[in-house]
Amino acid sequence: MSRTRRVFGKDFKAKVALEALRDKETLEVLAKKYGLLPTQISIWKAEAIKNISTVFNQEKAVAKKEEIPI
């Protein structure tokens, strides 16, 4: 019996990574809560920290698109 690989969406990953960044609960507690391995949460947390600056760059790009030329 083979087990199918689970695929997690970006919203779920962001939710888990954000909880890990808050440090209110340990990685082990979060892993049990979401049915994940602590190492997977650590990887998502590291990716979130590494790419956090892109959030602000994308926001500016969206704002420029929404501007109406006069």
Side-chain angles (χ1 to χ4, degrees), residues 17-29:
L18 186 60
E19 280 195 50
L21 286 169
R22 289 184 181 148
D23 285 333
K24 289 186 179 180
E25 298 175 331
T26 64
L27 292 179
E28 289 76 19
V29 171

Side-chain angles (χ1 to χ4, degrees), residues 19-63:
E19 280 195 50
L21 286 169
R22 289 184 181 148
D23 285 333
K24 289 186 179 180
E25 298 175 331
T26 64
L27 292 179
E28 289 76 19
V29 171
L30 290 175
K32 283 186 179 183
K33 182 177 177 181
Y34 292 108
L36 300 167
L37 294 173
T39 54
Q40 184 64 61
I41 297 173
S42 295
I43 292 168
W44 292 348
K45 181 180 175 181
E47 284 182 37
I49 291 169
K50 183 175 115 182
N51 297 317
I52 194 112
S53 64
T54 60
V55 172
F56 300 105
N57 290 337
Q58 290 175 353
E59 185 176 307
K60 289 180 182 179
V62 171

